[in-house]
Amino acid sequence: MLVSVKVIPKSSRSLIKEESGRLKAYVTAPPDKGKANKALIKLLAGYFKTKKNSIRIIKGEHSQCKTIEITL
């Protein structure tokens, strides 16, 4: 399954909101050395109730707008 996510790093809390068919993920980690991406994967794993290693960033690794592949 492919999911489009907009990531907001350095947020005050970690949460996921759904806005107009797209997920918006707020993570507390800074966008430094992949910390925000790791926090995003952990957050999405909890949201979709799956393992972290079944979530992969396909597009937008250095961007706020990402395409995520999730194998359930």
Side-chain angles (χ1 to χ4, degrees), residues 57-68:
I57 299 173
I58 308 179
K59 187 176 177 184
E61 193 153 324
H62 299 287
S63 172
Q64 282 188 333
C65 298
K66 301 178 186 303
T67 302
I68 309 291

Side-chain angles (χ1 to χ4, degrees), residues 1 48-50 54 70-72:
M1 163 171 62
F48 287 106
K49 297 178 178 71
T50 187
S54 65
I70 302 171
T71 53
L72 298 175

Side-chain angles (χ1 to χ4, degrees), residues 2 4-5 7 9 21 24-25 30 32 45-46 55 58 67:
L2 293 178
S4 179
V5 179
V7 181
K24 200 171 205 182
D32 182 40
I55 298 174
I58 308 179
T67 302

Side-chain angles (χ1 to χ4, degrees), residues 6 12 19 26 41 52 57 59 62:
K6 180 168 184 178
S12 62
E19 294 179 0
Y26 296 86
I41 289 173
K52 289 189 288 185
I57 299 173
K59 187 176 177 184
H62 299 287

Side-chain angles (χ1 to χ4, degrees), residues 17-24 26:
K17 289 184 179 180
E18 188 172 342
E19 294 179 0
S20 65
R22 179 175 172 172
L23 293 179
K24 200 171 205 182
Y26 296 86

